[in-house]
Amino acid sequence: GKKVLIVYAHQEPRSLNGSLKRVAVEELSKQGCSVTVSDLYAMHFEPRATRNDIVGCLQNSEEFNYGVETWEAYKRGGLSNDLIEEQKKVQEADLLIFQFPLYWFSMPAIMKGWMDRVLVQGFAHEFPNCYDSGLLKDKLALFSFTTGGSKEMYAKGGISGDIRYVLWPMQHGIMHFCGVKVLAPHICFAPEYVSEEKRKEMLIAWAHRLKTLWKEEPINCSPEWYFK
């Protein structure tokens, strides 16, 4: 069976995000997938990229450079245990699902901190091995999230602009940069402003999509997909 890592960022298990995560675990497990969840809030995941991420001596103790120091630490097996644990989950996964509420046109800080700390140079990318030759090029990713604004607000002519503009730094700047192939996002627009019935329909639609997820083709990872 396939291996799936769900990186989940919501404080409340009974939220729609919590339900979407639960549906994914149930549906993918039914398919025979092995599903692991990194519940960032429950784990008290540290989002800050600091000196604490490096075990032992620094390359340059006079002037701290996080990128250089974590790259060197990764090569010698000197990253902190929480990072090694998350990198192992990523390494084993065929598919990464990121489940979160959209905060200020981006992912919550705790999830951005996961990206900052886990996807270090040497593990996820190493120039010139980036984009199509990124070090995680055998993997798929899917961003599943909720918004505060309606679908109309995130249309091309809407006040918030096309939702694809928002996805550019997350899908392209992080995942594609690391070589990951990206499936079309799964977006639940404005769940707080719809009926309970509509929220149930959102969960059913997600479960339905997951049934045929492995047959989907990744999006065209080019600027045209986002800005055409």
Side-chain angles (χ1 to χ4, degrees), residues 114-128:
W114 185 95
M115 303 284 184
D116 292 348
R117 296 180 64 228
V118 175
L119 303 176
V120 302
Q121 189 167 355
F123 170 69
H125 58 91
E126 192 163 12
F127 193 80

Side-chain angles (χ1 to χ4, degrees), residues 90-159:
V90 171
Q91 199 69 63
E92 291 176 351
D94 299 295
L95 168 66
L96 311 169
I97 296 177
F98 296 97
Q99 182 66 59
F100 59 97
L102 200 66
Y103 281 6
W104 294 115
F105 281 38
S106 189
M107 62 188 81
I110 199 167
M111 184 175 279
K112 178 57 165 55
W114 185 95
M115 303 284 184
D116 292 348
R117 296 180 64 228
V118 175
L119 303 176
V120 302
Q121 189 167 355
F123 170 69
H125 58 91
E126 192 163 12
F127 193 80
N129 295 318
C130 49
Y131 290 115
D132 289 341
S133 60
L135 301 181
L136 302 180
K137 61 182 179 290
D138 57 339
K139 303 188 185 302
L140 288 169
L142 191 163
F143 285 82
S144 171
F145 59 96
T146 58
T147 68
S150 66
K151 192 169 186 176
E152 292 71 33
M153 288 172 75
Y154 283 107
K156 202 161 209 170
I159 192 158

Side-chain angles (χ1 to χ4, degrees), residues 8-11 13 38-45 110:
Y8 164 69
H10 200 286
Q11 308 90 332
S38 283
D39 183 341
L40 301 182
Y41 285 104
M43 292 159 63
H44 300 287
F45 186 81
I110 199 167

Side-chain angles (χ1 to χ4, degrees), residues 4 19-20 25 30 33 41 45 47 49 56 60 71 79 84 106 109 114-115 125 134 162 178 190 195 210 220 224:
V4 181
S19 298
L20 289 161
V25 172
K30 264 190 237 167
C33 298
Y41 285 104
F45 186 81
N60 182 350
W71 184 20
L79 289 172
I84 291 169
S106 189
W114 185 95
M115 303 284 184
H125 58 91
D162 194 328
C178 296
S195 65
L210 288 163
N220 165 24
E224 288 73 34

Side-chain angles (χ1 to χ4, degrees), residues 69-85:
E69 295 295 348
T70 49
W71 184 20
E72 292 300 329
Y74 174 74
K75 287 190 281 191
R76 69 168 192 271
L79 289 172
S80 59
N81 286 337
D82 60 336
L83 294 193
I84 291 169
E85 188 60 36

